[in-house]
């Protein structure tokens, strides 16, 4: 079943790839923009995935107004920001990596995917924990 890969395409041909990969801690959610030349990539653990899902909903409710940024720390520390100009987009960045921009047309489908991949990631983490004990 893993890796699990889904691609979301917007009306203008933009692509966002969402995948779940096994990891010693259980699983990672990987976000990529294969349609961009620098192919930015963000790795999220379960904590980061949950915060991103909540941040998407907060951004939907906030636009056209701003939203404070959020940070998650740890091995996959990530900063989440809402950009409003030139269009509403989530901006995700990790130390030393390219910034991943997720325009508003992706948000609803990404939120749904995060609900699904979050469940898969939690199950993989549970299985990894069971193997350790």
């Amino acid at each position: 079943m893993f890796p699990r890969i889904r691609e979301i395409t917007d009306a203008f041909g933009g692509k966002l790839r969402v995948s779940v990969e096994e990891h010693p801690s259980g699983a990672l959610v990987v976000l990529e923009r294969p349609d961009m030349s620098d192919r930015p990539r963000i790795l999220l653990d379960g904590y980061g995935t949950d915060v991103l899902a909540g941040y998407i909903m907060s951004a939907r409710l906030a636009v056209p107004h701003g939203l404070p940024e959020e940070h998650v720390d740890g091995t996959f520390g990530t900063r989440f920001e809402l950009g409003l100009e030139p269009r509403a987009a989530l901006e995700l960045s990790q130390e030393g990596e390219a910034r991943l921009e997720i325009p508003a047309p992706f948000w609803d489908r990404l939120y749904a995917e995060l609900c699904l991949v979050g469940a898969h990631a939690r199950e993989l983490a549970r299985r990894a924990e069971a193997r350790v004990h």
Side-chain angles (χ1 to χ4, degrees):
M1 171 166 191
F2 294 97
R4 178 191 184 277
I5 302 169
R6 298 291 186 271
E7 262 191 17
I8 302 169
T9 305
D10 71 9
F12 306 104
K15 294 183 186 319
L16 175 64
R17 184 175 296 144
V18 182
S19 58
V20 179
E21 297 178 1
E22 290 189 81
H23 184 265
S25 66
L28 295 178
V29 173
V30 182
L31 304 174
E32 300 173 280
R33 289 292 308 268
D35 59 325
M36 299 181 77
S37 60
D38 60 349
R39 298 182 61 100
R41 177 180 164 112
I42 297 289
L43 303 174
L44 300 172
D45 57 12
Y47 171 41
T49 300
D50 288 346
V51 171
L52 177 56
Y55 200 76
I56 289 170
M57 188 57 65
S58 293
R60 288 190 83 242
L61 296 169
V63 169
H65 305 287
L67 183 67
E69 64 183 46
E70 289 284 339
H71 294 265
V72 296
D73 55 4
T75 305
F76 303 100
T78 307
R79 186 175 72 199
F80 305 92
E81 297 177 79
L82 173 61
L84 296 172
E85 295 296 329
R87 62 181 188 223
L90 299 180
E91 298 168 359
L92 283 62
S93 57
Q94 292 179 319
E95 187 117 0
E97 298 294 323
R99 176 175 285 209
L100 177 76
E101 183 179 277
I102 305 172
F106 288 111
W107 295 354
D108 289 346
R109 291 195 53 207
L110 176 57
Y111 179 84
E113 279 298 315
L114 291 175
C115 290
L116 293 168
V117 298
H120 288 303
R122 282 188 294 279
E123 176 59 14
L124 287 174
R126 186 192 64 77
R127 290 179 188 178
E129 187 175 295
R131 284 192 302 267
V132 171
H133 291 25

